[in-house]
Amino acid sequence: EDLRNGATDRYTQSSEIVLSGNFPLLRGAGTVASEALIQAERNVVYAARNFERFRRQLFVSIASDYIRLLQQLASIQNQERRIESLEILQNETQAKADAGQVRGFEISIAESDLLQARADLAGLRDRYRLSEDQFKIRIGLPVDQPISITPMELMLPDPDITLDEAMRRGLDYRLDLQNSRDRVLDSRRGVSNARNDVLPDLDVNARVGLPTDPDVDEGGLDYDPDELTYSAGIMLNLPLDRLEEKLRVRQSIIQLEQQIRSYERDRDNVVIDSRASVRGVELARLQLTLAERQVETNRRRQRGQELDPDNVTPQERVDTQNALLSAENARDQAEADLRVAILNYLLNTGQMRVTETGAISPIGGLELMPVD
């Protein structure tokens, strides 16, 4: 206003309320107009699924490390019991040698095995300390912070399921497969959008304007209905050269075919993972059953030798204790393998659920219970 008054000594207000719109009927019409918003919303869903999948994988990974720590603790305890048995055997053999019931060199059999057992125990403890330090780093604790690994038993439901049912659950519940399936829809929509870009332009436009009174220097909100202006029109633009757009259509079709093949590959991998997980559980269950029988067999063998010590040589008793230790370690290994196999089954079939606090959510009787 100061500029106009100084230059021309005239000023006319020109404020106006304008309502205008341009509405495409062919090219740019439909959902293609909001494609950016649609894809952004779907990308948020994909990111949420990926994050939840990562949480489940992280839980299984940490739980597996914890189970392996418990297995190492069990191996140490088995070795400690073996050392106690060997010490008893050494004392008994020394007493028999002093009484002239056994030859003197047989004392060295128990003594040599006892020394080897103590060396093995030292090695087991050293490997456990290393695994414990690695576990601390894994869960974000300082290496020098002392921790106590409390024995816990994951009361996981032993799945009794067929291969086909596990496959169907994996196809229904796997989040990464859902993302791959939805991206096929994105590619189909991309083909539709690319084809829309080849269409001619047919736009309808309209404009309504309500200006202020030009006879008033400063009218504020003093609008003059008599000065109302409006316009409407339709514009048709026939394409003469849409080579680039046609090439984008072909490109989108190729991308759709690639996404379909990628989805089919992901689907086949889910089927393989689900079926392999069920077989892994069955194999781990069989190995645990056989290992438990082997432990019981060696314990009966040990009890039989203890009932008739005069007819058993120190070497036979040492061999029995070695066999029992090997069987107990195999049993503990099989128990750990079964727990990990069940966790992988729940993960690979998409049935794993992790709470907001990072704990596993109960699934069909699944719960965490401490071992007394």
Side-chain angles (χ1 to χ4, degrees):
E1 180 180 3
D2 291 338
L3 179 61
R4 292 184 179 183
N5 287 337
T8 63
D9 197 22
R10 296 178 57 191
Y11 175 75
T12 301
Q13 66 173 0
S14 59
S15 302
E16 184 178 12
I17 296 178
V18 178
L19 178 62
S20 64
N22 186 45
F23 307 98
L25 300 180
L26 292 178
R27 188 184 186 190
T31 57
V32 65
S34 56
E35 172 61 24
L37 177 61
I38 293 174
Q39 191 59 56
E41 292 175 344
R42 295 175 71 86
N43 287 341
V44 172
V45 175
Y46 298 157
R49 288 173 179 167
N50 289 334
F51 178 68
E52 179 60 27
R53 172 76 174 167
F54 164 75
R55 292 178 71 246
R56 298 176 184 179
Q57 290 174 330
L58 180 63
F59 177 89
V60 172
S61 178
I62 293 179
S64 299
D65 290 345
Y66 175 77
I67 291 172
R68 297 305 178 188
L69 280 178
L70 295 181
Q71 177 192 343
Q72 288 182 283
L73 280 176
S75 298
I76 292 175
Q77 294 171 356
N78 294 338
Q79 190 70 17
E80 289 174 345
R81 288 195 298 269
R82 178 169 178 258
I83 290 176
E84 293 176 358
S85 299
L86 289 174
E87 289 175 346
I88 295 174
L89 176 60
Q90 183 184 22
N91 295 333
E92 292 178 352
T93 305
Q94 182 65 50
K96 290 181 179 179
D98 294 341
Q101 298 178 359
V102 297
R103 292 165 292 184
F105 72 89
E106 294 185 1
I107 301 176
S108 61
I109 296 177
E111 183 179 1
S112 176
D113 208 69
L114 177 60
L115 294 175
Q116 183 61 47
R118 288 173 176 170
D120 293 341
L121 178 60
L124 290 174
R125 288 174 174 171
D126 184 68
R127 287 191 292 271
Y128 172 77
R129 284 192 292 267
L130 176 60
S131 300
E132 187 181 74
D133 290 341
Q134 292 174 340
F135 187 72
K136 291 178 188 178
I137 296 175
R138 185 77 190 279
I139 62 178
L141 293 178
V143 178
D144 57 351
Q145 179 175 339
I147 63 173
S148 176
I149 302 297
T150 304
M152 297 279 292
E153 183 177 359
L154 292 174
M155 301 300 294
L156 299 172
D158 198 351
D160 184 12
I161 190 172
T162 63
L163 296 178
D164 292 338
E165 179 61 25
M167 176 189 67
R168 285 192 292 270
R169 292 186 183 184
L171 294 176
D172 290 339
Y173 300 146
R174 280 281 292 268
L175 297 179
D176 52 341
L177 184 63
Q178 293 177 23
N179 281 352
S180 182
R181 185 186 301 120
D182 288 347
R183 287 193 176 97
V184 174
L185 300 179
D186 292 342
S187 297
R188 294 186 187 279
R189 195 175 63 255
V191 173
S192 177
N193 294 340
R195 287 173 174 169
N196 179 272
D197 205 30
V198 182
L199 298 176
D201 292 308
L202 180 61
D203 301 337
V204 175
N205 58 77
R207 182 185 186 278
V208 178
L210 181 60
T212 54
D213 190 350
D215 297 331
V216 180
D217 289 343
E218 295 183 14
L221 297 178
D222 186 9
Y223 294 94
D224 188 358
D226 294 334
E227 300 294 334
L228 179 68
T229 61
Y230 58 88
S231 64
I234 185 169
M235 179 178 292
L236 176 63
N237 183 10
L238 296 178
L240 298 179
D241 183 11
R242 291 283 174 86
L243 179 60
E244 183 177 352
E245 288 79 359
K246 292 179 181 179
L247 291 177
R248 281 200 292 265
V249 172
R250 296 180 60 183
Q251 183 182 20
S252 63
I253 293 176
I254 294 174
Q255 291 174 348
L256 173 60
E257 295 297 328
Q258 291 175 341
Q259 190 61 52
I260 291 175
R261 288 195 295 270
S262 177
Y263 165 69
E264 292 175 348
R265 183 184 65 250
D266 294 341
R267 183 188 59 192
D268 293 340
N269 289 335
V270 169
V271 171
I272 293 174
D273 291 344
S274 301
R275 295 169 67 90
S277 298
V278 175
R279 294 192 184 100
V281 172
E282 293 175 350
L283 177 60
R285 187 188 303 122
L286 174 62
Q287 290 176 338
L288 177 59
T289 301
L290 296 178
E292 289 175 341
R293 292 179 181 176
Q294 190 174 9
V295 169
E296 183 61 29
T297 299
N298 284 284
R299 284 178 177 173
R300 288 198 302 267
R301 174 183 171 185
Q302 185 181 47
R303 287 194 296 268
Q305 291 178 349
E306 291 173 350
L307 293 175
D308 190 14
D310 295 335
N311 296 323
V312 180
T313 65
Q315 182 62 56
E316 291 174 338
R317 295 186 63 179
V318 167
D319 292 341
T320 300
Q321 291 178 6
N322 290 338
L324 177 60
L325 175 65
S326 178
E328 289 176 339
N329 289 336
R331 177 203 58 197
D332 296 334
Q333 175 74 39
E335 288 180 351
D337 290 343
L338 179 58
R339 296 176 187 176
V340 173
I342 294 176
L343 287 175
N344 287 326
Y345 158 76
L346 295 175
L347 177 65
N348 291 332
T349 57
Q351 300 180 78
M352 172 70 66
R353 298 293 183 272
V354 181
T355 65
E356 295 180 356
T357 59
I360 191 169
S361 179
I363 305 173
L366 187 152
E367 58 182 350
L368 297 178
M369 296 182 61
V371 178
D372 295 335

